[in-house]
Amino acid sequence: MQNIPQHSDVVIVGGGPVGALAALRLAQAGRQVVLIEARAENEPVRDARALALSWYSREQLALAGAWPDSLPATVIDTVHVSQQGGFGRTVLQHTDLGLPHLGAVIDYPVLTAALAQALAASGVTVLWQTRVEQAKSLSRYATVTLRQADGTQATLTSRLLVLAEGGALAESLPGIRRHVHDYQQSAVLAQVETSQPHQHRAYERFASDGPFALLPHGDSMMLVWTRSHDDAARLRDADDAVVLAELQQAFGERLGQFTAIGPRAVFPLALRQLNRVTSGRVVMIGNAAQTMHPVAAQGFNLGLRDAVGLVGALAGAADPGDAAVLRRYSASRRVDSHAVVGFTHGLIQLFDGHHPLVKALRGVGMSAVDAVAPARRAFASHLVFGVGA
């Protein structure tokens, strides 16, 4: 049985990257923090995702002590956006914003391990292998009912409760509703090899059968391809040669030939967004507040900005769960979260049409953004720093 404190300044449920970053930065700000995580401390994280982090996200993790120089990551210097079967493209460069890089790609298990090491050195109390069965907000404090791996139950109170888990706990809170839009699509993830080097360039390609991203990943590329559920299952189980041929046709020869592809993982896609991100003394961040389509790789970065924004909103507050403090946080995140959700959802709708006129208009739009330097810089800035930064 772990030593469970009876009360803490802030309790965070969910030890993934968003919850861990919030815990680290709040501890740096002098807050007493308890972090609750369902998995065991040394349990291997089995997740096939390679995360595309903006340079801003990478810097926030570094400030929290969770991005050592030895961390194996692949930087992104250029993002190339195009459509299949139509003209027009937008190319974003790190020099557009005067940054060393636009972002970096890192495997999810590698990042979670780095965060766990940072937590161990931070003084944050982490309750590993502990599940939250109930969360409530009362007038002066919030409570969580815990169950540990040995069956031990306990109740923990805090002045502020932060939900950074998958979102199930939020739906039991007063005034909280979740909007869900099922895209009727799945994402196919796989590592692919190419005959030409990526040169730290990421690609976003709006193909006829669904948009896909190619992210530099070591000397290889990580593929994230949106397809219908049936198509995704077919690509998962098809011979490698079949998948490579379809990818080659959809992408062209910007990277030469696709020479090999690894095992494919498939994830269903949906937009889930809360009507509000606070309820009493409880605040939702990251996936607890919103999950979205992976197009443009914005969801994870938005969650990390939630964590950073919460730390900023709580700065100097005697009571972190005070209603005025949480209203300030909610207002500070509203523009960014709604803009990013609207942007990713709108991209899926915009690039779903295949009429020649629609393709031509898209091409004109991409070419205009590419040709007009202020527009290109503004677009790149929104992707890296968020909206309203």
Side-chain angles (χ1 to χ4, degrees):
M1 176 180 171
Q2 300 174 87
N3 183 25
I4 302 176
Q6 291 184 328
H7 182 79
S8 181
D9 200 31
V10 180
V11 169
I12 301 174
V13 181
V18 172
L21 177 61
L24 289 167
R25 296 297 297 274
L26 286 169
Q28 288 176 335
R31 298 284 181 186
Q32 179 193 28
V33 182
V34 173
L35 179 64
I36 303 169
E37 170 55 33
R39 64 184 173 89
E41 182 174 4
N42 298 314
E43 179 183 340
V45 176
R46 307 186 191 282
D47 194 310
R49 287 177 295 168
L51 302 172
L53 275 67
S54 71
W55 194 248
Y56 176 82
S57 294
R58 183 260 186 217
E59 291 295 273
Q60 295 304 315
L61 289 162
L63 288 172
W67 196 281
D69 292 338
S70 60
L71 204 65
T74 308
V75 297
I76 298 173
D77 290 335
T78 307
V79 176
H80 185 285
V81 185
S82 64
Q83 63 175 336
Q84 182 183 7
F87 77 95
R89 57 102 170 101
T90 301
V91 179
L92 309 176
Q93 305 273 4
H94 66 101
T95 52
D96 290 333
L97 299 177
L99 295 173
H101 308 284
L102 285 176
V105 178
I106 187 168
D107 289 327
Y108 187 90
V110 172
L111 180 57
T112 56
L115 284 160
Q117 290 181 351
L119 285 167
S122 69
V124 172
T125 299
V126 184
L127 302 179
W128 298 99
Q129 219 168 348
T130 301
R131 297 187 179 277
V132 174
E133 297 186 331
Q134 188 177 54
K136 288 184 178 180
S137 176
L138 304 176
S139 60
R140 299 182 64 182
Y141 56 88
T143 70
V144 287
T145 303
L146 313 175
R147 182 181 296 274
Q148 297 192 292
D150 62 0
T152 302
Q153 283 188 297
T155 298
L156 173 60
T157 65
S158 64
R159 291 194 288 176
L160 175 65
L161 175 60
V162 181
L163 300 184
E165 34 69 79
L169 290 170
E171 295 177 14
S172 64
L173 297 172
I176 297 297
R177 299 186 307 277
R178 190 179 301 277
H179 166 74
V180 179
H181 177 82
D182 187 346
Y183 288 107
Q184 297 296 315
Q185 296 173 331
S186 291
V188 180
L189 277 62
Q191 184 163 298
V192 296
E193 309 293 334
T194 59
S195 63
Q196 295 181 10
H198 55 65
Q199 299 180 315
H200 300 287
R201 178 173 291 210
Y203 294 88
E204 187 79 45
R205 177 78 161 167
F206 292 92
S208 300
D209 291 325
F212 64 85
L214 284 166
L215 307 172
H217 186 246
D219 293 330
S220 306
M221 301 292 283
M222 181 61 68
L223 170 69
V224 184
W225 200 346
T226 299
R227 302 294 290 258
S228 68
H229 294 315
D230 289 343
D231 262 357
R234 179 182 61 81
L235 292 176
R236 179 192 60 206
D237 301 330
D239 290 340
D240 291 358
V242 172
V243 184
L244 289 171
E246 291 192 27
L247 181 58
Q248 192 79 62
Q249 181 180 18
F251 184 71
E253 298 185 355
R254 292 176 181 83
L255 290 167
Q257 299 298 308
F258 291 99
T259 59
I261 188 167
R264 275 79 73 189
V266 173
F267 298 92
L269 301 177
L271 167 64
R272 298 180 177 87
Q273 186 177 30
L274 297 183
N275 62 315
R276 53 185 297 181
V277 296
T278 64
S279 177
R281 289 180 171 267
V282 185
V283 61
M284 282 66 73
I285 64 175
N287 283 348
Q290 69 272 313
T291 59
M292 63 193 69
H293 200 283
V295 67
Q298 288 298 292
F300 182 72
N301 292 291
L302 179 63
L304 294 180
R305 294 198 298 271
D306 285 347
V308 175
L310 180 63
V311 176
L314 267 54
D319 180 357
D322 179 73
V325 173
L326 296 187
R327 280 196 301 270
R328 183 165 67 243
Y329 166 75
S330 179
S332 72
R333 297 300 304 140
R334 187 174 295 115
V335 172
D336 191 20
S337 62
H338 283 257
V340 170
V341 169
F343 170 68
T344 56
H345 186 68
L347 277 180
I348 297 304
Q349 307 301 316
L350 176 64
F351 284 88
D352 192 43
H354 304 298
H355 189 278
L357 180 58
V358 175
K359 283 188 175 182
L361 291 173
R362 289 195 301 247
V364 169
M366 286 190 288
S367 298
V369 170
D370 190 67
V372 180
R376 189 177 65 249
R377 285 194 293 269
F379 183 37
S381 179
H382 290 337
L383 293 179
V384 173
F385 298 106
V387 179

